[in-house]
Amino acid sequence: MIDRLYIELLYRHSIVEMLFWSILTTAFWYCISLPISRKNKKTWIWMNNGLLFFIVFFILWNTVFSRSNSNQEASLLPFASFIEAQTQPERYRTVVANILLFVPFGLSMPFVLDNRSKLGSLRRNPVVCTILAATAFSFFIELTQYVLSLGLCETDDVIFNTVGAMIGSLAFVVARRTHGKKVGCR
């Protein structure tokens, strides 16, 4: 079922539609952040923890668990997707999908981290922590795909997944800048 959802989201819609829905979802998340986090911080914490759990499961399912063994291949050249897209325009869709796959991770992780008390100096900057976590998570996925021969291990995937988390984290930054410390979980 999750495979079908992923395929429907990735291949049924154009890149413009995927971007539109991503922007709309991010704007919705931003708009609900202030009223919910002000009124009931515990609900906001649980919503973000739930979204983070769901997106981590969704990402792992689509990148590791649902795949069968194939060749052990790696593409380590950064931005090779753009070179390949000159002959295979479908690669642009893959780039956009890799970015959009990590936007929800970037949306929820800063709010989850903002509530943690034992992160030391990184606690002061949950966005940096989110970007580092997304990069490490994406690297782990690519390494797992390579070791278990589950697909093409690509440097581009790590880069574009990190960009997606950065875009998602931007909603946290914007919420904090426009609404001050009122948005968050403290």
Side-chain angles (χ1 to χ4, degrees):
M1 179 178 141
I2 293 176
D3 283 338
R4 182 153 173 82
L5 177 65
Y6 181 69
I7 289 168
E8 287 288 322
L9 290 173
L10 181 59
Y11 294 106
R12 186 171 181 214
H13 302 285
S14 71
I15 292 173
V16 173
E17 289 174 321
M18 290 184 341
L19 288 171
F20 171 76
W21 285 108
S22 179
I23 290 168
L24 190 65
T25 304
T26 304
F28 173 74
W29 197 253
Y30 167 76
C31 289
I32 66 168
S33 69
L34 184 63
I36 293 176
S37 66
R38 273 187 178 170
K39 289 181 182 177
N40 192 343
K41 292 182 181 185
K42 287 185 179 184
T43 301
W44 188 240
I45 291 167
W46 281 105
M47 285 177 64
N48 282 285
N49 282 318
L51 176 64
L52 186 61
F53 176 80
F54 175 77
I55 195 62
V56 166
F57 176 77
F58 183 80
I59 291 169
L60 285 173
W61 181 266
N62 285 294
T63 59
V64 177
F65 299 134
S66 68
R67 296 193 177 191
S68 58
N69 286 359
S70 62
N71 295 332
Q72 193 174 40
E73 298 179 61
S75 173
L76 302 178
L77 180 66
F79 304 107
S81 297
F82 294 120
I83 296 167
E84 293 171 15
Q86 293 172 359
T87 57
Q88 302 170 0
E90 192 63 27
R91 290 294 287 166
Y92 289 120
R93 181 185 301 275
T94 305
V95 168
V96 171
N98 274 311
I99 291 170
L100 296 180
L101 187 62
F102 270 71
V103 168
F105 185 93
L107 278 172
S108 61
M109 185 73 138
F111 287 104
V112 170
L113 291 174
D114 194 38
N115 188 46
R116 304 294 186 238
S117 61
K118 298 193 178 194
L119 289 174
S121 63
L122 282 178
R123 180 177 183 246
R124 293 185 191 108
N125 199 336
V127 172
V128 170
C129 218
T130 296
I131 293 167
L132 292 173
T135 304
F137 182 42
S138 183
F139 178 78
F140 167 77
I141 289 168
E142 295 305 311
L143 185 62
T144 303
Q145 286 178 342
Y146 182 75
V147 169
L148 300 177
S149 301
L150 296 176
L152 180 61
C153 170
E154 295 180 88
T155 303
D156 282 1
D157 288 357
V158 176
I159 293 168
F160 298 129
N161 293 160
T162 303
V163 168
M166 290 168 68
I167 291 169
S169 296
L170 189 61
F172 178 81
V173 172
V174 170
R176 276 288 172 97
R177 293 253 166 97
T178 45
H179 303 298
K181 296 282 183 181
K182 297 172 189 170
V183 172
C185 304
R186 291 184 190 161

